[in-house]
Amino acid sequence: MTTTAVLGAGKIGEALLSGLIHAGRNADDLLFTERSEARRVELTKRYGVASVTVAEAAARADVLVVAVKPQDIDPLLTELAPVLRAQTLIVSLCAGLPTALYESRLPEQTPVVRVMPNTPMLVGEAMSAISPGRHATSGHLNTVEEMLASVGQVVRVPESQQDAVTALSGSGPAYFFYLVEAMIDAGILLGLPRAVAGQLIIQSAVGSAKMLAESNEHPVLLREAVTSPAGTTIMAIRELERHGVRAAMLAAIEAARDRSAELGKPHTPRA
Ligand SMILES: NC(=O)c1ccc[n+]([C@@H]2O[C@H](COP(=O)([O-])OP(=O)(O)OC[C@H]3O[C@@H](n4cnc5c(N)ncnc54)[C@H](OP(=O)(O)O)[C@@H]3O)[C@@H](O)[C@H]2O)c1
């Protein structure tokens, strides 16, 4: 049985611990590190998982999941490098940090898998994209895929596509929240109470997401099914087109991709 340690159990790290436990992983096979004493006590109480130091995690775990903020990575790698055991699998959840950074700072041959998860991991509905580093085998990818499948869906992509993934599914939940917020505002504009507008839109979002996930139909067909000739929906669609909403979406996601690439640059070791 593998032992997995989460290094930095903040929002995403906790979501992973919680998901693994809900999926039936034994709390005794899990460990975590955290800087604050209060947070350590809170998480152990909530999940029955032991907190350890980074050195203890390196000594006991076969898989180390790095879930600190990208700006906190330097001191963590400095602490980890001298204590890491050969063949320990490093799984990085950190946005923008390339596998080459870990490979340049950790002992030679260290297998690294880079992951871009998203916040719906908190409710077991994450979309995670995984990419192997130079020394990660298909066995390592299988291990990571199996772990993340307990908190959502997983796809494999080449690391060169991770900036695009970050812009699409990493930031994606924010676009949906933004859209829901705007639609609730429209309900207010039309005179509905906020609570009613919220319920109407949130349940419509949940229902639409379920149809997209379960029907296997292209979104265009699902939209056409509610767009009758000279009806109400087509009037709204005309306004969306007139205001360039589709073009805005393309430009927005391209801008997010560019920013992701820019943020990763300082962490990319020179060849
Ligand atoms: N949230 C998202 O939507 C999202 C999506 C995809 C990927 N990610 C990635 O997930 C990572 C974590 O994000 P988050 O939102 O979960 O951040 P977070 O809530 O700030 O969690 C990071 C945690 O790690 C702790 N920490 C930092 N350095 C440590 C060290 N050396 N040893 C032990 N613990 C340490 C922090 O403690 P302190 O509070 O004391 O600093 C904090 O509790 C980031 O790299 C981010 O790019 C996040």
Side-chain angles (χ1 to χ4, degrees):
M1 192 67 206
T2 54
T3 298
T4 301
V6 173
L7 308 183
K11 286 183 284 296
I12 285 285
E14 177 180 353
L16 180 62
L17 284 175
S18 159
L20 291 173
I21 286 180
H22 277 112
R25 273 291 286 271
N26 193 330
D28 293 341
D29 300 328
L30 300 170
L31 301 166
F32 73 92
T33 71
E34 254 303 315
R35 285 199 285 219
S36 118
E37 165 74 18
R39 178 82 178 148
R40 288 199 289 268
V41 171
E42 178 192 329
L43 289 178
T44 299
K45 199 167 151 206
R46 197 172 295 157
Y47 302 106
V49 174
S51 72
V52 288
T53 62
V54 170
E56 280 174 305
R60 289 172 56 186
D62 320 286
V63 178
L64 295 178
V65 179
V66 182
V68 300
K69 291 269 188 221
Q71 61 266 28
D72 288 327
I73 194 66
D74 260 343
L76 179 63
L77 290 179
T78 304
E79 203 179 344
L80 196 54
V83 291
L84 193 68
R85 288 178 300 132
Q87 284 312 304
T88 303
L89 173 60
I90 302 288
V91 180
S92 170
L93 304 186
C94 303
L97 299 187
T99 55
L101 170 72
Y102 295 88
E103 288 161 357
S104 70
R105 298 280 303 274
L106 296 175
E108 265 183 47
Q109 304 295 319
T110 299
V112 183
V113 173
R114 175 173 169 182
V115 181
M116 187 63 213
N118 65 9
T119 50
M121 188 184 277
L122 291 164
V123 292
E125 292 288 353
M127 183 67 244
S128 303
I130 65 175
S131 309
R134 280 172 55 205
H135 311 299
T137 62
S138 61
H140 293 125
L141 282 174
N142 290 342
T143 301
V144 177
E145 198 164 74
E146 198 185 314
M147 174 173 76
L148 294 170
S150 62
V151 288
Q153 292 190 17
V154 189
V155 291
R156 296 181 184 197
V157 298
E159 191 168 6
S160 57
Q161 291 178 359
Q162 282 283 4
D163 289 323
V165 167
T166 303
L168 274 176
S169 56
S171 301
Y175 315 146
F176 289 112
F177 297 142
Y178 178 88
L179 189 63
V180 164
E181 190 192 322
M183 289 172 79
I184 292 173
D185 270 353
I188 310 282
L189 178 73
L190 303 186
L192 295 175
R194 183 171 288 279
V196 173
Q199 187 179 355
L200 292 175
I201 295 306
I202 292 166
Q203 177 55 21
S204 300
V206 171
S208 309
K210 227 171 163 178
M211 283 177 77
L212 281 165
E214 290 175 8
S215 70
N216 261 333
E217 294 273 29
H218 192 282
V220 167
L221 292 179
L222 294 174
R223 181 173 62 72
E224 281 178 354
V226 273
T227 312
S228 48
T232 56
T233 310
I234 193 64
M235 298 304 158
I237 299 287
R238 181 174 62 178
E239 289 304 315
L240 291 172
E241 295 297 353
R242 183 180 283 163
H243 289 88
V245 172
R246 183 183 299 264
M249 195 54 90
L250 297 179
I253 292 178
E254 194 175 34
R257 190 276 317 270
D258 292 348
R259 180 65 177 149
S260 173
E262 195 176 289
L263 289 174
K265 253 188 212 148
H267 300 288
T268 306
R270 287 203 199 110

